[in-house]
Amino acid sequence: MRGWIVPPPKAPIKVREDFDKERHKKVTQLIRQGYLKSERIKAAMLKVPREDFIPHQYRDYAHREVPLPLPGEKATISCPHSYPLFYEPLGLDKGHKFLEVGLGSGYGAAIAREVVGSDGLVVSIDIDRLTFEFAKKNLKNIGYNDIILVQGDGYDAGQNQATHAKLNHTTNIPKRRSFKSPDL
């Protein structure tokens, strides 16, 4: 990855308590830096174990501000600060319908699910089969069985999903076509 120094893969040594402390420290830091304001997003970031969405050999780096590689072609999990950066401007809240183009590890979909709650809806799509399967397994392992997952081209989904009140697009769009967000 250009511009980022990805730490070397290694066998993880941290335990759940270490990750819990790091998660709380990261949320406090994001609040202090002004990235995180919404109580629902804050609660979601405190609840969802980011380390469970990262490949085993990068797990100890879960809360570092660096994108980490995922299975698939050029796939990464975004830096921790990216999620409030994506979701705060959307005003993502309880009961919303949310379309995520770029499933990645599944972490963003889990955060969104916690924010929209049981009255909301989260649909997430990824074109890369390896990335999609990795995320699907992560979400299932943690118990997020009510997120709608689609393996396919997000361009088509974005054009045809006007029923979603909020849209987050975290993927690379090829130069050969432009993406137009549906009128929401």
Side-chain angles (χ1 to χ4, degrees), residues 101-167:
V101 180
L103 175 59
S105 70
Y107 177 72
I111 293 289
R113 183 67 188 91
E114 290 296 329
V115 173
V116 303
S118 59
D119 293 333
L121 174 69
V122 174
V123 178
S124 191
I125 186 168
D126 207 289
I127 196 167
D128 188 287
R129 172 61 68 186
L130 286 174
T131 306
F132 177 82
E133 292 299 332
F134 179 73
K136 183 178 176 181
K137 178 184 65 104
N138 292 339
L139 290 163
K140 181 181 177 190
N141 287 345
I142 297 175
Y144 289 99
N145 300 314
D146 57 352
I147 297 171
I148 298 171
L149 303 176
V150 180
Q151 199 276 311
D153 190 335
Y155 177 83
D156 297 329
Q159 300 300 310
N160 299 312
Q161 293 293 334
T163 59
H164 293 85
K166 304 291 176 178
L167 171 68

Side-chain angles (χ1 to χ4, degrees), residues 6-14 19 51-62 64 68-72 75 77 134 137:
V6 177
K10 67 174 191 162
I13 58 171
K14 293 180 181 176
F19 289 117
E51 61 276 6
D52 291 347
F53 291 87
I54 295 176
H56 186 74
Q57 69 272 27
Y58 293 100
R59 185 178 166 104
D60 279 357
Y61 307 120
R64 282 204 187 171
L68 297 169
L70 299 175
I77 181 172
F134 179 73
K137 178 184 65 104

Side-chain angles (χ1 to χ4, degrees), residues 8-28:
K10 67 174 191 162
I13 58 171
K14 293 180 181 176
V15 296
R16 184 63 64 191
E17 293 78 24
D18 297 327
F19 289 117
D20 291 345
K21 287 178 188 174
E22 287 181 6
R23 188 176 319 108
H24 280 81
K25 184 178 176 182
K26 178 54 69 177
V27 166
T28 300

